[in-house]
Amino acid sequence: MTTDRTPWDQPARLASLAIAGLVVYVLIDAALRVLEPQFSLLRNAESDYGNGGFAWLMDLNFLLRGVASLAVVLALAALVRPVGVVCLGLGLLIVWAVTSGLLAFFPDDLAGAPVTTAGRVHLLLALVAFAAMSVGAVIVAYALRRDAAWRPAAPILLGLAVAGLVALPLVGRPPLRGDLGLFERLFLGIEFAWLLVAAAWARRMAGTAPPARV
């Protein structure tokens, strides 16, 4: 029996899985906004949905974020050999994926509520995840500029990565008092856009060329 599959079918499938996962994540977030109207988009962190009546749905979203992000990393690793500095960048993106998934098991503490061990762990995981994603995205995007096949997408990826790096401090110290939710969602929106662009370009590139050494 013969097959038309090429070695690049797998990264294409991984990229498609990532895109679908990220789109579903956004849809679940939108559904949670309707299902949990007591949480403000401006003041409440996204993680606060994990304390409501639909906490299981937010936990599912954390796991989905981890799986979708890992799929992006695996697709990139298959198309761009993870050597040199890009290996560090991909490693940081893996840290983001793993810590994002772990958030599902440690609910955060609502503002004004007693501090719990789970809440402390959640905050630590979130800080590690956000820092790893923002730095890893910059490293990978910068490295991809040296690959002719990725050159059209590299400026977009680098621009989004730099924007995420700039937005990161605003999450920890919002310039507008009480608007943590606004700046956290701004940061997540930028990083999700980065992941979507990377996945979309990886799916386009799959099957067109062997991995480049960057």
Side-chain angles (χ1 to χ4, degrees):
M1 188 168 111
T2 61
T3 177
D4 293 330
R5 290 185 177 179
T6 73
W8 312 119
D9 285 335
Q10 185 175 3
R13 289 195 296 269
L14 286 168
S16 296
L17 172 65
I19 293 170
L22 293 170
V23 169
V24 172
Y25 183 101
V26 173
L27 292 175
I28 291 177
D29 246 21
L32 283 169
R33 170 58 185 159
V34 176
L35 295 170
E36 301 281 12
Q38 71 273 23
F39 294 120
S40 168
L41 292 176
L42 299 180
R43 296 185 300 275
N44 288 100
E46 181 191 45
S47 299
D48 287 350
Y49 286 124
N51 292 280
F54 293 88
W56 64 271
L57 199 53
M58 188 65 240
D59 294 339
L60 175 63
N61 235 14
F62 283 133
L63 294 172
L64 186 59
R65 183 203 297 180
V67 171
S69 299
L70 189 58
V72 175
V73 175
L74 293 175
L76 288 172
L79 295 169
V80 180
R81 291 177 186 170
V83 295
V85 70
V86 75
C87 188
L88 173 61
L90 292 176
L92 288 171
L93 295 185
I94 291 175
V95 172
W96 148 267
V98 173
T99 49
S100 291
L102 289 175
L103 289 173
F105 304 99
F106 301 94
D108 77 332
D109 297 322
L110 293 174
V115 177
T116 64
T117 300
R120 291 192 184 98
V121 174
H122 185 100
L123 180 59
L124 177 61
L125 289 172
L127 290 173
V128 171
F130 286 10
M133 178 65 204
S134 57
V135 176
V138 170
I139 293 174
V140 172
Y142 186 81
L144 289 177
R145 295 183 314 122
R146 299 170 54 187
D147 181 0
W150 283 82
R151 202 161 290 149
I156 300 173
L157 291 172
L158 188 57
L160 288 169
V162 171
L165 198 61
V166 171
L168 179 61
L170 302 179
V171 179
R173 193 179 293 273
L176 301 177
R177 184 176 177 83
D179 283 349
L180 167 64
L182 171 63
F183 292 100
E184 183 199 41
R185 286 173 173 82
L186 172 64
F187 172 81
L188 289 173
I190 293 170
E191 302 302 351
F192 269 51
W194 191 98
L195 291 167
L196 281 169
V197 171
W201 197 261
R203 186 171 64 175
R204 176 176 177 176
M205 294 305 303
T208 62
R213 189 177 296 274
V214 298

